[in-house]
Amino acid sequence: MRKAFSHEFVVERAVGDAFPLFTPKGEEEWVPGWKPDYFAPDSGETRKDMLFATGKGDERTWWTCLEWEPESHHVRYFRLTPGNRAAFVEVRCRARGPGSTDVIVSYDMQALGPAGERYIDQMDDAAFAGMIGEWPDLIEKSDPATA
C-alpha cells in the first residue's frame, strides 16, 4: 500500500528564518521529544547524504537527506522504519511576505509489512493535515532566538 499526502501552512517568520526549522537540528527547537541520533555527520549539520535516526523500538526510524537546496528553501528526506513503512518527505518554503513563509510538507508513504499497512490505512488527508497542522503552533511557541 502506498499513499501520498501534502499540507500547506504559514509560519510567521521570514523564509530565511523559517526554512532552517525543517532541518533535523532545527526541529529540535520546536518538536516535543525530537532528539535525533546523528551518525554522518555526527554534528547533525544538514547536508545531502546525512544519516540520522529517531524513535525507539518498533518506531526506530532511519533518515537520510536526498536533496539539500537551502538557496531555494527545499529539502527532501527518505525515512525508513524497518518492517513497517518507508517515506519520502519533502519540505518547500517560499516567502509570503517579509515576515511570513508558506510551507508545503509532503509525505509519500509505502507500507513494508502489516504494521505499516495499518498505519497507512488509518492515514487520510484529514489525519495528515491534523498532524502537520500542529506545526505552526509548535513553531510559534518556540523561541525565535534559538530556532
Side-chain angles (χ1 to χ4, degrees):
M1 171 185 298
R2 189 168 187 166
K3 286 186 182 178
F5 302 95
S6 188
H7 185 70
E8 186 170 343
F9 58 91
V10 176
V11 172
E12 296 303 331
R13 295 188 188 185
V15 71
D17 295 329
F19 178 68
L21 296 173
F22 304 102
T23 65
K25 279 285 189 196
E27 289 192 18
E28 287 184 40
E29 301 299 328
W30 60 271
V31 177
W34 178 266
K35 184 66 177 142
D37 296 318
Y38 297 105
F39 296 97
D42 58 9
S43 67
E45 174 190 355
T46 303
R47 65 181 189 202
K48 188 177 181 305
D49 300 329
M50 76 178 299
L51 180 63
F52 63 101
T54 59
K56 295 179 181 174
D58 290 345
E59 283 297 310
R60 181 71 165 170
T61 300
W62 295 89
W63 298 73
T64 190
C65 181
L66 299 174
E67 297 174 36
W68 175 240
E69 301 167 340
E71 66 286 344
S72 60
H73 307 109
H74 171 252
V75 63
R76 186 170 183 249
Y77 303 98
F78 176 75
R79 57 171 281 166
L80 173 68
T81 307
N84 189 309
R85 65 194 180 277
F88 294 97
V89 179
E90 189 165 19
V91 178
R92 292 185 181 276
C93 295
R94 66 176 178 262
R96 180 183 190 92
S100 186
T101 299
D102 289 321
V103 181
I104 302 169
V105 178
S106 303
Y107 272 60
D108 181 351
M109 292 187 266
Q110 172 69 52
L112 301 176
E117 294 273 344
R118 286 189 297 277
Y119 182 92
I120 293 172
D121 189 48
Q122 293 175 7
M123 185 67 67
D124 60 16
D125 290 333
F128 184 79
M131 178 180 72
I132 303 299
E134 296 177 352
W135 292 11
D137 289 337
L138 292 170
I139 291 168
E140 183 66 28
K141 292 175 187 172
S142 69
D143 181 0
T146 61

